[in-house]
Amino acid sequence: QVQLKESGGGLVQSGGSLRLSCEASGRTDNIHAMGWFRRAPGKEREFVAALPRNGDSTYYGNSVKGRFTISRDTAEYSVSLEMDRLKPDDTAIYYCAADSDISTMFSFSYTYWGQGTQVTVSS
């Protein structure tokens, strides 16, 4: 089993920045992909960003490309999401996800999910 814990959410004004962190624990040796997703009120879950275990490539959803940056933290099984130039449309619950199968990276089929952290962007 893998446990994921997100942190760093909060309230920010439009144009501001926030940094989310996700720390994995448990059977982390099986993790080969980690990603961020979000769900806004009344909307479907949306892919935000992902990277493989070695962190040598990153992938982003179209709505955040150029504004958000996913990266591996010093701890091998922790990832961060730096969110810049935030917009009210970025308001959502943000979820960290992990999986042992790297091909899962671009899907919603991740095995492990965190509880989520709320990000609210005021206009």
Side-chain angles (χ1 to χ4, degrees):
Q1 288 292 328
V2 172
Q3 295 80 42
L4 301 174
K5 176 66 176 176
E6 304 98 337
S7 60
L11 173 64
V12 65
Q13 287 189 332
S14 181
S17 299
L18 275 178
R19 183 180 179 89
L20 305 183
S21 294
C22 174
E23 183 174 353
S25 60
R27 295 291 302 273
T28 56
D29 54 319
N30 288 334
I31 295 175
H32 290 277
M34 294 189 75
W36 288 94
F37 294 78
R38 67 185 183 186
R39 186 189 292 275
K43 295 185 179 180
E44 295 185 353
R45 185 173 44 178
E46 179 184 9
F47 169 76
V48 176
L51 49 63
R53 176 173 171 170
N54 59 15
D56 65 355
S57 55
T58 55
Y59 305 91
Y60 299 93
N62 288 334
S63 61
V64 306
K65 201 173 295 183
R67 299 187 297 122
F68 290 12
T69 303
I70 187 173
S71 60
R72 241 181 56 188
D73 292 341
T74 303
E76 185 175 3
Y77 300 107
S78 295
V79 292
S80 292
L81 185 70
E82 180 72 29
M83 304 184 295
D84 297 319
R85 303 198 308 277
L86 283 160
K87 308 173 183 178
D89 283 348
D90 294 317
T91 295
I93 299 175
Y94 284 71
Y95 298 91
C96 177
D99 200 274
S100 59
D101 184 353
I102 197 169
S103 66
T104 302
M105 198 156 49
F106 307 108
S107 76
F108 295 123
S109 302
Y110 283 73
T111 301
Y112 305 105
W113 292 84
Q115 292 296 311
T117 184
Q118 177 71 48
V119 171
T120 303
V121 184
S122 63
S123 57

